[in-house]
Amino acid sequence: MSLKVLKFGGSSLADAEHFRSVAEIVKSDPARRYVVASAPGKRMSGDSKVTDLLYKCYALACDDEDITEVFDEIKARYNSIIEELGIELDLTEAYEKIRFSMLHNSGRDYVASRGEYLNAMILAKYLGFDFIDAKKVVFFNEDGTFNAERTNDVMRDALSTREYAVIPGFYGSMPNGTIKTFSRGGSDITGSIVARAASATLYENWTDVSGFLMADPRIIDNPKPIKTITYKELRELSYMGATVLHEDAIFPVRYSKIPINIRNTNSPDDKGTFIVPETDEISDYIITGIAGKTGFSNITIEKAMMNSELGLGRKVLQVLEENNVSFEHFPSGIDTMTVVVSTKALQDKRADVLAGICKNINPDNVFVEENLALVAIVGRGMVKAKGTAARIFVALAEAGVNIRMIDQGSSELNIIVGVDANDYVTALNAIYKEFVK
Ligand code: ADP
Ligand code: ASP
Ligand code: MG
């Protein structure tokens, strides 16, 4: 029997008009039983997401500054939704509790989580569904990692007694009962968790674009939609900046191989993108999609005879580990080795990392180059296909873009190129044009 879990993103629940569209979508199919809600997002460009306003309140409260103006803005967002929808719901007490907590050292995550908490309460009331507080059904371990099994057991029990329910996304609770959130965009993960616990036949992720597109629509004009994409391809693309779905949203549904369908709340008849465990479907192009991010740095280490020095790579990575900096890529030559890291993560640790490398391996030279952008070209069609890399390099060369790093995953599912951040947009456009247009 068909059972669908739906997650609506911030822009899909930004105002009363969107709530009406959401209700229409949910009510049009009785199999649409469990709904995960995000906090209200931007209503138009230049607007604020409620989550950002909550973080702002928290920062003001920490600095002992007045939160009234920002807090009133948040309340006004919810109140206008409630009033325009004409629902009987008085959140005065909830607001007071949140305001009090903000002023009395409640955690940052608690404050941020209230965005989804309040929005889910409103949506549950509007739909006539039960409300399940995520703190009672989503759990983290002492070390802050997600407790998948306990969550699945408790969530499954909670859902089994309710035919229709709304669950706030983004947060859960720590063993001591305090609130913890996933990273930004984490309501996608909650949707996936609910889909797994409900043994859903489909997880519909409703957003403001008609599916996963072959490139970021903010950079490439009118990119082509992707009909079907595998979990693995999606991981590569979302990790590399295709933010339409959180990169960790695959894990909970992976167990039961539940497909995810990305859909557009503003254009509900569009079929969107299907994200599936595996597929034989041949995509229209060799590549499935392109994504990228700026904000990376290269740490390059030079040492004569490096190739024959046992344990050298380990010693370099050990320095990063000790400084809590994770690495993205690790391309090497015979006497050189480069570690690509996030510039932000390296920021305050740069001197310690360089000193550690000098001490650990005594290199001839070590230096950092900033301003690197990474572009990932991803596609199951690339596996064993000849000439894909050549086409990428020629396209970049013809666009006048110098390649600073190349990395091909051993699965052949992706090729990642590092370019100067100033060339980022040119590089994306050149590669897209080469493969798609
Ligand atoms: P939601 O609030 O529904 O969770 P997000 O803002 O997190 O939505 O994700 C949707 C946005 O992701 C789109 O509006 C689009 O600007 C951006 N985006 C980036 N890369 C892609 C891509 N490859 N395909 C579709 N959207 C993308
Ligand atoms: N509201 C949270 C955010 O803005 C979570 C989400 O939207 O998924 O990051
Ligand atoms: Mg999102």
Side-chain angles (χ1 to χ4, degrees), residues 36-242:
V36 171
S38 288
K42 293 183 185 182
R43 293 161 292 187
M44 73 289 286
S45 75
D47 195 19
S48 301
K49 291 182 174 190
V50 164
T51 308
D52 291 322
L53 295 175
L54 287 162
Y55 281 128
K56 203 162 156 189
C57 267
Y58 176 79
L60 289 170
C62 287
D63 291 345
D64 277 332
E65 289 194 38
D66 190 8
I67 64 167
T68 310
E69 197 180 317
V70 186
F71 196 69
D72 283 351
E73 198 183 328
I74 296 169
K75 284 198 297 189
R77 293 287 302 263
Y78 291 110
N79 288 339
S80 75
I81 296 172
I82 294 171
E83 275 159 32
E84 283 177 49
L85 295 178
I87 41 183
E88 293 279 314
L89 183 66
D90 184 1
L91 292 178
T92 316
E93 227 174 274
Y95 295 147
E96 264 326 295
K97 200 169 160 219
I98 295 167
R99 188 186 162 83
F100 181 87
S101 305
M102 276 178 183
L103 298 174
H104 293 84
N105 298 327
S106 62
R108 185 172 185 268
D109 283 12
Y110 167 81
V111 171
S113 74
R114 296 305 89 185
E116 337 309 275
Y117 172 79
L118 294 170
N119 224 24
M121 287 224 288
I122 298 173
L123 186 61
K125 184 84 186 170
Y126 186 51
L127 294 173
F129 284 15
D130 287 338
F131 170 81
I132 304 177
D133 190 347
K135 82 172 180 201
K136 298 190 177 144
V137 285
V138 176
F139 303 106
F140 293 90
N141 297 307
E142 203 64 66
D143 64 0
T145 53
F146 171 57
N147 187 336
E149 293 319 311
R150 179 165 178 234
T151 298
N152 194 48
D153 291 345
V154 178
M155 178 78 82
R156 194 182 39 218
D157 288 350
L159 297 176
S160 69
T161 57
R162 292 161 172 105
E163 200 172 1
Y164 292 96
V166 177
I167 304 108
F170 194 35
Y171 72 93
S173 56
M174 292 290 288
N176 67 2
T178 55
I179 298 290
K180 178 171 167 56
T181 65
F182 293 108
S183 57
R184 294 300 302 264
S187 299
D188 291 331
I189 307 175
T190 312
S192 193
I193 291 166
V194 175
R196 178 188 172 200
S199 298
T201 45
L202 185 65
Y203 167 21
E204 292 179 341
N205 187 291
W206 291 84
T207 180
D208 62 353
V209 274
S210 288
F212 220 96
L213 305 170
M214 287 190 75
D216 189 332
R218 293 163 296 188
I219 299 177
I220 304 285
D221 212 18
N222 212 5
K224 298 226 183 296
I226 303 171
K227 267 188 252 154
T228 310
I229 182 170
T230 63
Y231 286 173
K232 277 190 190 152
E233 289 172 307
L234 180 108
R235 279 275 298 158
E236 300 279 355
L237 286 170
S238 52
Y239 180 73
M240 282 302 291

Side-chain angles (χ1 to χ4, degrees), residues 264-318:
N264 190 348
T265 305
N266 306 319
S267 191
D269 293 332
D270 292 353
K271 297 211 164 14
T273 301
F274 274 93
I275 306 166
V276 296
E278 268 147 40
T279 179
D280 293 332
E281 189 181 309
I282 297 168
S283 46
D284 294 339
Y285 305 94
I286 284 194
I287 65 167
T288 301
I290 312 166
K293 278 201 245 186
T294 53
F296 294 99
S297 293
N298 271 337
I299 307 173
T300 298
I301 302 143
E302 296 173 349
K303 188 175 185 189
M305 309 279 285
M306 179 186 269
N307 59 325
S308 56
E309 195 173 323
L310 269 181
L312 189 123
R314 177 183 54 76
K315 287 179 199 158
V316 171
L317 296 184
Q318 189 183 356

Side-chain angles (χ1 to χ4, degrees), residues 7 185 188 243-244:
K7 175 257 169 179
D188 291 331
T243 53
V244 63

